[in-house]
């Protein structure tokens, strides 16, 4: 008896441990409906493969207005959809423009259908209906029943290999379709070339080049089936399969070379009831040889469950970098935010260190792991600062990746928004300098500071880029010379501040002085007559007519004058002074949260839902992210605490539409993580975090240096949102700023919470 | 005074030495008019770069009938043309289908014209008129005056780098156009993608992928100007230059990244009168990095004349492998034939040993120099046997290149007609086995015989390829299963004979026996009722109606039943017996030369001119090349001597139309070289050469083993075409066969010639 009880206890124990693991709280469906643009599929932390279902693959026609529909599918998946088109291997998380969706695989039975069909009429193609009842998603695993053909699909992944397991019914014709046309943000002509080689009866290799958001992007693959292919073939709407000039072969079936611009291939099998076909699908940016090497190194066996366990373990390792005590609901939102924050930048390198570079050549990453997908306008704000706390090694990798980019760039500048060895130039600023300076100031090593500073300066002085030449000439970006000129001026000034900080720490006082001066440029676009930042013409006059609520043609991007007028992270005290001092500034800031956007102005805004608004405060877009923290500088920390509490509680939910805007490669999630802990990097580069209000009872940062930093919030409750006391390492702490170094030393930060603002 | 005379003598001396060098006899214009399909530009022996003028770049539309015109421009140049479009870096020599024409450069002055214009109206584009009076071509050098803008163009080359020197008039706008659309055998859509990066003010890199005869071919380049570019830009008819989504740049001019499907770029300069702009233009199949490495390694300076001298020296070294004494006219034809024979297969490898492989991966050539452009149906006959005499090291390289191809082939077979890491499958047979067996039998080393034999067997047993499956099943290729079935049966049988020889020498008697049996397959397509080889159906009946003169739908390719009925190189005695013995055979063979082709049958023939015919003997196509030598086996060597003398004297001329058919990568030229020396490889693989009649007074083979083999023809004259006596190494020689080994040992072969046939 005793023995049995012990076993039961043991099982319960294991269950309890598993149930308590951070990964077990992750809900990958958060953000998969509407605006979050996250995907529910399988991936490992910062993995090169993101193997996830596509619920639609709408193609757009340039100039024909399908962009809105395509926009919905930035991550390939919308939770409200009723059909699955297939499972592809690359996805951005939370972006507002897109690309990728490489190498769509779909299992079917019966007669071959080599077109996806439509959501309205799934029988017209290879897609299948599905029910969310059969759908499971966890960190590193996804499964669903494809009900049309009754096939169970399961997905897991290593860093570079997607692992598929399909359980088929009995069928004389079970098909695996590999669609080389399918892609995200696709249009007719996006696929420049695709090529497939059936190397033997279980190994297939190939590649495709696309011309999309990335202008020249080639991805290679190697795929291995667990069972010999019975027969295979392809169809090419573009009429180029294999240019068999001399008609020597039967190229319509079982011919091992297939290529063209519009290629859909199939591989058929006979299956018994319940028979599983496994597919290991590896990627490479370098070659099919590289992909095969990745495959053989990362999954040298056929054990799907083992890979699933490894993926989960990898997630637990990463998610344990911050552990919290909170309600299950809070844990779910928090760990899912961690999960989303740790999806990208993604690894972009084969197991042998080779990767494709921006100069179109293949390179060997010397002493670092190369990464890609830098959505820097978004992520310099909180995601990279989060990495400086709990992903220091990867921060160093990312900086080295950006420096390699700079060296390979024909413009000799750091990435703006880069992915897959391409610069797509999305959004503004040279915020890579913020990431670099922030890391350097915080003492992160593993890159060459002199090379890094040179790269920053090169980026800040490259005249052809986005009005920088005019910025250097006029001191601000004139509105008649460049779009979004006021936003650019403000953001360039902040980036220049970062350069000055880095130069100063390096003892380069000349450079520091020069960039400190440039960092004052915000003064030139401040219109004291209206009290707003405002676009200025090259003749020195402010641009008119002026509508501070409009986001269109006012010289701002993803924000209006209201939002951007709070953007002087490098000098909030000066900003407050320009606004007439603390009282006026507080009142002005209150107005931001209180002015309701009318329909016209809301309609103009991008990438957000109504849920993401508090008045004219737009949490769904990034320029506002630091704004609630500005009350602190005006001596009103309780107002910060109220707004943070409000945003945390109203804009992040454990629901499929639980994100109020694009997650933007983890920036929205990183905001949540910081703000939940009780502080936020208002001005990356300074090494300082501004204290907001904690929303977890306890959080432990398990730092890479082996130390722990523990945050507790005594008396925390829904009502007790106000900080009454701060104790750092046992001593009362009077400031609302905490330094990075104090955290990295390890220690304790105790908050005592109360229901009323503390004077 | 004395001093001056000495100098004069010295100059005369140099002049004399230069005038006597083999290279000085080369006339690259031979074959550039009509059917020869040679090019006049600059290249080094077996060089990767063939830098040559294009006189037209006609595009064809699939199914729209422009093929005939395009066919004229297989080498990009027709001597009768009046305009030059530009100078491109890759050309086949003498082919009947084509591709290449990569990276067309054209210098102009004045307003930019970024289209080539038409021959009728050269002002409509960048092309220019020229006069042959200003045109010079020699081994390794080409120059011409582009008269429209009065620009002198000079070209030379190293193995991997084309070197341009343009002498401009005074001009405020001197342009170098780099046309990425232009190509040979071009059609709308052939360019899959092209990309150009202006790295700095003198270095430009880029690549383009084409989908042509080679399905997936990417070539990379690096180009260096001797003078900084003043401004540059491009035009793209396909409307993709740089997908500047966010309109951040002025991408119309001086924007360093240009890419698209229809890209024409320009680089402009200011020039003084007589100012020279030099361009070093390097190729790579691997990367722009590889191209730049090639450039920097091969031409680390700016000395055009030095590179020209090196190229000429390289040619003299190679051409000196056979030196002859003959008339200047004969020397010109002979050394030009040598020149054409030593153009391809071409080097296909970067200086660091890297090359692009058939499996789409980059490879390092281990212990050999990788080559490409294997036109094997043509060249196995005489070109590769010529290489076994005077290019043994390169023969080994070529075999290793073919073995690498076989290993990289998804079909696991040796090349048929391969170029630039692609198999184009042109023509029939698996004649790579002939090249390999011939070299192996002749004792050429440097490759693995076992691997080579395996590769040969793999090629001979690959059922899906061109009727081989049926050949294995029926013993012949049935006409209802496969086109050109009779030709295939005959050629497969010969190739099988080569495999049997190789296996026998290796002591693999089982394999030897099996392939000896297969080598008898010619019996199955011999129709004793008509006395011709004839296509046979799978039911065992010969195909009807039968027209032995027709080359269409009779089961033959590039020949008719008449021509192919003499194709049993592996057993001429058996062939003679099948034809009823010596007398009947001789009479039959006489008929071949005497039957005039009517207009209908001539019109059907491919790739030949009327000058290439003697009756129904078609010298312009390869299947007849060994035929005049067959008289020897029937005991009538004097008839061979007459026909060889006739062909040598009527079908090879020192004129632009001096070749009566496509030179076919040197096969036509190799026939001439062998036949001029007095012997020919009727059956490569046996190590034997059949004696014809010499047409040079003296020839010395300077062999790679350090030995010399000298051939003399005593009393040789136009009338004294008959051999009266043969003396080998001082002893009378009774046979009309000479062994390869006897030549390689060094020695002398003396012919005594007379005006009448010797009994």
């Amino acid at each position: 008896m005793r023995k049995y009880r012990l076993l039961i206890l043991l099982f319960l124990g294991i269950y309890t441990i598993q149930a308590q693991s951070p990964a077990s709280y992750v809900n990958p469906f958060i953000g998969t409906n509407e605006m979050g643009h996250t995907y529910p599929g399988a991936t490992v932390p910062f993995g090169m493969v993101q193997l996830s279902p596509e619920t639609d693959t709408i193609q757009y026609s340039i100039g024909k207005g399908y962009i809105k529909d395509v926009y919905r599918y930035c991550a390939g998946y919308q939770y409200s959809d009723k059909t699955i088109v297939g499972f592809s291997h690359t996805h951005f998380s939370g972006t507002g423009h897109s690309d990728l969706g490489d190498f769509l695989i779909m299992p079917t039975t019966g007669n071959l259908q080599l077109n996806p069909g439509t959501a309205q009429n799934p029988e017209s193609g290879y897609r299948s209906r599905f029910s969310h009842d059969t759908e499971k998603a966890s960190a590193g695993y996804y499964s669903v029943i494809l009900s049309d053909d009754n096939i169970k699909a399961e997905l897991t992944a290593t860093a570079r290999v997607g692992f598929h397991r399909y359980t088929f019914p009995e069928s004389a014709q079970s098909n695996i379709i590999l669609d080389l046309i399918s892609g995200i943000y696709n249009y007719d002509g996006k696929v420049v070339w695709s090529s497939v080689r059936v190397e033997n009866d279980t190994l297939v290799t190939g590649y495709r080049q696309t011309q999309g958001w990335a202008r020249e992007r080639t991805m290679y693959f190697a795929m291995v089936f667990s069972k010999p292919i019975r027969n295979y073939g392809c169809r090419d709407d573009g009429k180029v399969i294999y240019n068999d000039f001399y008609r020597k072969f039967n190229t319509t079936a079982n011919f091992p070379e297939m290529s063209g611009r519009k290629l859909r291939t199939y591989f058929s099998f006979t299956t018994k009831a319940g028979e599983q076909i496994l597919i290991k699908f590896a990627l490479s940016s370098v070659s099919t040889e590289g992909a095969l090497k990745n495959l053989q190194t990362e999954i040298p066996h056929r054990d799907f469950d083992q890979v699933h366990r490894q993926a989960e373990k990898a997630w637990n390792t990463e998610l344990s970098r911050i552990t919290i005590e909170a309600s299950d609901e809070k844990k779910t939102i928090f760990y899912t935010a961690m999960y989303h924050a740790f999806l990208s930048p993604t690894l972009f390198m084969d197991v042998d260190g080779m990767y494709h570079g921006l100069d179109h050549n293949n390179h060997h990453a010397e002493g670092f792991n190369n990464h890609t997908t830098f959505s820097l306008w978004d992520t310099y704000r909180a995601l990279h600062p989060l990495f400086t706390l709990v992903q220091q090694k990867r921060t160093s990798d990312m900086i080295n990746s950006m420096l390699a980019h700079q060296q390979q760039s024909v413009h000799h500048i750091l990435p703006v928004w880069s992915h897959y060895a391409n610069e797509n130039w999305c959004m503004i600023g040279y915020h890579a300098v913020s990431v670099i300076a922030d890391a350097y100031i915080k003492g992160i090593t593993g890159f060459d500071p002199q090379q890094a500073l040179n790269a920053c300066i090169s980026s800040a002085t490259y005249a052809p880029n986005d009005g920088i030449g005019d910025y250097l000439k006029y001191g601000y970006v004139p509105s008649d010379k460049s779009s979004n000129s006021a936003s650019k001026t403000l953001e360039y000034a902040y980036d220049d501040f970062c350069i000055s900080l880095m130069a100063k720490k390096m003892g380069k006082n000349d450079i520091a002085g020069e960039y400190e001066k440039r960092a004052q440029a915000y003064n030139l676009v401040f219109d004291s007559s209206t009290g707003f930042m405002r676009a200025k013409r090259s003749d020195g006059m402010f641009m008119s007519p002026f509508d501070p609520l409009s986001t269109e043609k006012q010289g701002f991007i993803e924000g209006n004058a209201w939002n951007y007028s709070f953007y002087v992270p490098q000098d909030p005290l000066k900003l407050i002074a320009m606004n007439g001092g603390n009282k006026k500034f507080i009142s002005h800031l209150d107005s931001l949260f209180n002015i309701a956007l009318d329909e016209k102005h809301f309609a103009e805004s991008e990438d957000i839902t109504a849920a993401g608004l508090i008045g004219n405060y737009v949490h769904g877009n990034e320029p506002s992210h630091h704004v609630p923290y500005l009350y602190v500088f005006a001596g009103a920390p309780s107002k910060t605490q109220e707004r943070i509490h409000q945003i945390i509680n109203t804009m992040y939910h454990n629901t499929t539409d639980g994100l109020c805007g694009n997650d933007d490669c983890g920036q929205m999630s990183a905001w949540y993580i910081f703000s939940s802990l009780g502080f936020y990097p208002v001005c990356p580069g300074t090494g300082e975090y501004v204290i907001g209000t904690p929303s977890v009872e306890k959080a432990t940062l398990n730092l890479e240096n082996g130390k722990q930093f523990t945050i507790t919030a005594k008396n925390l409750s829904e009502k007790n949102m106000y900080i009454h006391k701060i104790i750092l390492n046992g001593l009362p702490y009077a400031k609302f700023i905490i330094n990075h170094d104090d955290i990295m030393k390890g220690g304790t930060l105790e908050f005592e919470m109360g229901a009323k603002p503390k004077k």
Side-chain angles (χ1 to χ4, degrees), chain A residues 117-163:
Chain A
T118 62
Q120 292 70 36
N121 183 16
E123 287 83 3
S124 62
Y126 59 67
R127 79 168 70 201
S128 172
R129 292 180 191 79
F130 75 108
S131 159
H132 290 302
D133 297 344
T134 70
E135 200 184 23
K136 285 179 201 157
S138 59
Y141 177 78
Y142 173 90
S143 80
V144 71
I145 304 283
L146 300 164
S147 53
D148 285 1
D149 291 341
N150 191 27
I151 298 165
K152 183 176 183 185
E154 294 174 280
L155 313 174
T156 187
T158 60
R160 299 165 179 92
V161 191
F163 204 168

Side-chain angles (χ1 to χ4, degrees), chain A residues 330-345:
Chain A
K330 176 80 191 179
K331 279 185 178 174
T332 298
I333 299 171
F334 185 90
Y335 286 120
T336 303
M338 288 271 282
Y339 171 84
H340 284 145
F342 290 175
L343 290 176
S344 51

Side-chain angles (χ1 to χ4, degrees), chain A residues 13-65:
Chain A
I14 289 166
Y15 181 78
T16 313
I17 289 163
Q18 284 185 333
Q20 287 181 342
S21 77
S24 70
Y25 287 101
V26 171
N27 176 8
F29 290 114
I30 292 178
T32 59
N33 211 15
E34 294 298 337
M35 210 53 95
H37 291 185
T38 56
Y39 59 82
T43 187
V44 296
F46 307 97
M48 194 156 108
V49 162
Q50 307 87 31
L51 178 52
S52 188
E54 246 85 286
T55 59
D56 232 316
T57 54
I58 287 168
Q59 290 211 340
Y60 76 92
S61 300
I62 296 168
K64 288 197 181 161

Side-chain angles (χ1 to χ4, degrees), chain A residues 37-39 50 54 60 67 69-77 88 90-102 183-187 190 210-215 217 373 417 419-420 424 426 607 662 664-665:
Chain A
H37 291 185
T38 56
Y39 59 82
Q50 307 87 31
E54 246 85 286
Y60 76 92
I67 300 289
D69 284 342
V70 172
Y71 174 80
R72 280 172 59 76
Y73 294 98
C74 280
Y77 185 95
S88 82
T90 54
H91 294 84
F92 289 132
S93 180
T95 54
H97 192 88
S98 201
D99 212 348
L100 313 184
D102 295 305
I184 295 174
Y185 241 101
N186 220 345
Y187 65 95
K190 181 173 177 182
T210 51
Q211 172 215 344
W213 204 22
R215 283 164 201 82
R217 189 171 70 89
T373 303
W417 207 128
H419 70 284
Y420 289 71
N424 67 46
C426 182
D607 299 341
N662 303 155
D664 285 322
C665 293

Side-chain angles (χ1 to χ4, degrees), chain A residues 193-194 234-243 258-263:
Chain A
W193 195 254
S194 58
C234 67
R235 208 169 290 165
D236 184 342
D237 296 343
K239 306 261 187 292
V240 183
I241 296 173
Y242 187 87
N243 201 343
M258 304 177 266
S259 56
R261 291 190 172 121
K262 296 185 178 184
L263 192 65

Side-chain angles (χ1 to χ4, degrees), chain A residues 562 582-592 594 631:
Chain A
W562 260 106
N582 284 354
K583 204 173 160 190
K584 283 196 175 169
F585 180 76
I586 291 167
S587 155
H588 187 59
L589 196 43
D590 286 345
S591 305
L592 176 75
N594 295 326
Y631 282 114

